[in-house]
């Protein structure tokens, strides 16, 4: 990085201290270039017929068999179940669904969580219990994914839904605490 030195004199009111002061400015060159979008080579190696077949099989396993609820169900396990490799799984999910494997699975988890949160039968569940039911490993990843897809927190979603339907107000039961009488 190049530094340029400039100086100027600081003059105080009585003009006795006319000392040069050196100020260093960095002048970096900005390398502004267009970002080149690279297509992963393995995505083009999967022929369209194989890609369509894998798409259907992936949807069957993840959605119909509800494997998205399994916290430990990875792309590797899916590839083993389908008799293929993870690169093909990644390529199909990327090309056909325009997202990575984790986002793909989380999308179905979030949709299930939204259904649970508005269901009157589950209105007393905490967000941690909801996230556990739909397959998230922890509450933080649930909140992050929910916000990514819905642009609001799960709590905001639940409150918004109940404002729209006042007959379904959330009734929280408070835990009874023992009070000490003195």
């Amino acid at each position: 990085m190049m530094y340029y030195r400039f100086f100027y004199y600081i003059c105080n009111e009585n003009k006795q201290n006319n000392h040069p002061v050196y100020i260093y400015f960095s002048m970096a060159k900005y390398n502004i270039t267009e970002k080149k979008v690279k297509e992963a080579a393995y995505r083009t190696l999967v022929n369209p017929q194989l890609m369509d077949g894998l798409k259907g099989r992936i949807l069957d396993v993840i959605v119909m068999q509800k494997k998205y609820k399994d916290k430990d169900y990875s792309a590797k396990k899916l590839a083993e179940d389908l008799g293929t490799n993870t690169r093909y799984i990644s390529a199909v999910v990327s090309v056909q669904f325009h997202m990575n494997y984790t986002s793909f699975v989380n999308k179905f988890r979030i949709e299930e969580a939204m259904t649970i949160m508005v269901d009157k039968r589950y209105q007393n569940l905490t967000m941690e219990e909801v996230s556990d039911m739909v397959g998230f490993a922890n509450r933080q990843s649930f909140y992050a994914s929910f916000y990514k897809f819905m642009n609001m927190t799960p709590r905001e979603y639940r409150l918004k839904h109940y404002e729209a339907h006042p007959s379904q107000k959330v009734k929280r039961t408070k835990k009874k605490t023992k009070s000490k009488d003195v």
Side-chain angles (χ1 to χ4, degrees):
M1 184 177 290
M2 268 180 129
Y3 290 98
Y4 295 94
R5 183 173 74 175
F6 295 96
F7 69 92
Y8 67 94
Y9 289 93
I10 296 179
C11 302
N12 62 7
E13 291 176 0
N14 60 11
K15 302 202 185 238
Q16 292 176 358
N17 294 330
N18 289 337
H19 301 290
V21 175
Y22 292 96
I23 300 177
Y24 292 90
F25 294 96
S26 66
M27 303 291 282
K29 288 184 180 180
Y30 293 103
N31 188 8
I32 301 173
T33 58
E34 282 188 42
K35 185 178 178 183
K36 294 179 184 177
V37 178
K38 288 186 176 179
E39 186 72 24
Y42 63 88
R43 290 182 189 154
T44 57
L45 294 176
V46 182
N47 72 38
Q49 292 82 17
L50 178 62
M51 194 168 282
D52 289 339
L54 277 175
K55 176 184 176 183
R57 292 170 56 204
I58 289 169
L59 285 171
D60 179 54
V61 171
I62 298 294
V63 181
M64 302 307 285
Q65 296 178 25
K66 296 193 178 197
K67 292 289 187 175
Y68 63 86
K69 288 185 173 188
D70 184 357
K71 295 173 184 158
D72 300 320
Y73 199 73
S74 63
K76 186 176 181 179
K77 287 184 182 178
L78 176 62
E80 289 171 3
D81 289 349
L82 298 179
T84 187
N85 63 43
T86 56
R87 286 199 175 234
Y88 278 18
I89 298 295
S90 176
V92 171
V93 171
S94 178
V95 171
Q96 297 291 325
F97 303 107
H98 309 291
M99 59 184 78
N100 64 26
Y101 176 80
T102 304
S103 296
F104 175 70
V105 172
N106 285 346
K107 181 182 133 205
F108 296 108
R109 290 174 176 166
I110 297 301
E111 289 172 359
E112 174 100 7
M114 289 167 43
T115 305
I116 290 171
M117 286 189 289
V118 298
D119 192 332
K120 202 171 187 179
R121 296 173 293 176
Y122 302 113
Q123 69 183 3
N124 289 323
L125 291 179
T126 65
M127 289 303 159
E128 192 164 349
E129 291 168 330
V130 172
S131 72
D132 190 51
M133 283 177 68
V134 297
F136 282 97
N138 57 54
R139 190 177 60 86
Q140 289 80 12
S141 61
F142 172 60
Y143 266 75
S145 294
F146 196 97
Y147 194 84
K148 178 182 174 187
F149 282 100
M150 298 303 298
N151 207 23
M152 68 176 71
T153 65
R155 185 178 185 282
E156 289 170 340
Y157 177 81
R158 184 181 258 177
L159 291 174
K160 183 177 178 182
H161 177 269
Y162 285 116
E163 284 175 4
H165 299 90
S167 63
Q168 296 184 354
K169 296 229 181 213
V170 178
K171 296 176 184 175
R172 295 274 179 211
T173 56
K174 291 185 178 181
K175 294 180 182 179
K176 294 181 180 181
T177 58
K178 295 180 182 179
S179 61
K180 294 181 181 180
D181 294 328
V182 178

